[in-house]
Amino acid sequence: MTKITNLTEVKAVGKYLRISPTKARRVLDQIRGRNYKDTIMILEFMPYRCCNAILKIVKSAAANAEHNKNFNKKDLNTTACLAIQLVKIMKRFQPRAQGRAFPIHKPTCHISIYVGTES
């Protein structure tokens, strides 16, 4: 993670989400470095399924910043976004022809979002 001076950050984490980390990173790359209002607008209008979970985490981080550090929501920026792939993968099997089984791997991830303001 890049280190930025004179920055106060607050984070929120969503754990064990049933989202592929590569698909989550596609959305997180779009919101990284933007202010809170733009981030909310982008997430509401993007057509991906993971946007709902990421929107909840962004709103949680903003609420943490407002309640714990007395920040104003309009001054917040999304400073860092991470999607960490977990080793725990749900494994399922789909029946195929002639008695075979086809493995299906359902990945999970943790999503961390840091919001902050310049001091």
Side-chain angles (χ1 to χ4, degrees):
M1 201 168 21
T2 59
K3 189 170 186 176
I4 301 171
T5 58
N6 296 330
L7 188 73
T8 307
E9 290 181 333
V10 179
K11 84 173 187 177
V13 180
K15 292 188 174 188
Y16 300 102
L17 300 173
R18 247 294 289 129
I19 298 170
S20 172
T22 54
K23 292 179 181 178
R25 285 186 198 116
R26 173 176 60 187
V27 175
L28 294 176
D29 289 341
Q30 297 295 320
I31 65 170
R32 189 175 293 118
R34 297 189 185 255
N35 63 13
Y36 177 72
K37 186 178 178 182
D38 289 345
T39 300
I40 295 297
M41 186 176 65
I42 288 170
L43 290 173
E44 285 177 350
F45 291 107
M46 279 185 110
Y48 305 117
R49 183 178 72 90
C50 66
C51 289
N52 293 331
I54 294 172
L55 182 63
K56 279 185 179 181
I57 298 168
V58 169
K59 287 183 178 180
S60 176
N64 289 343
E66 190 175 32
H67 184 265
N68 298 338
K69 300 277 187 168
N70 295 324
F71 290 154
N72 196 355
K73 281 188 181 180
K74 63 182 174 183
D75 298 333
L76 293 177
N77 291 324
T78 308
T79 57
C81 304
L82 304 170
I84 301 166
Q85 183 173 2
L86 299 179
V87 177
K88 182 180 273 189
I89 296 174
M90 295 186 340
K91 296 177 181 176
R92 304 290 184 261
F93 290 98
Q94 181 177 10
R96 302 299 284 194
Q98 298 178 357
R100 293 186 177 95
F102 184 75
I104 296 173
H105 300 291
K106 298 187 174 191
T108 56
C109 70
H110 292 333
I111 295 178
S112 302
I113 295 180
Y114 295 82
V115 295
T117 180
E118 294 284 339
S119 53

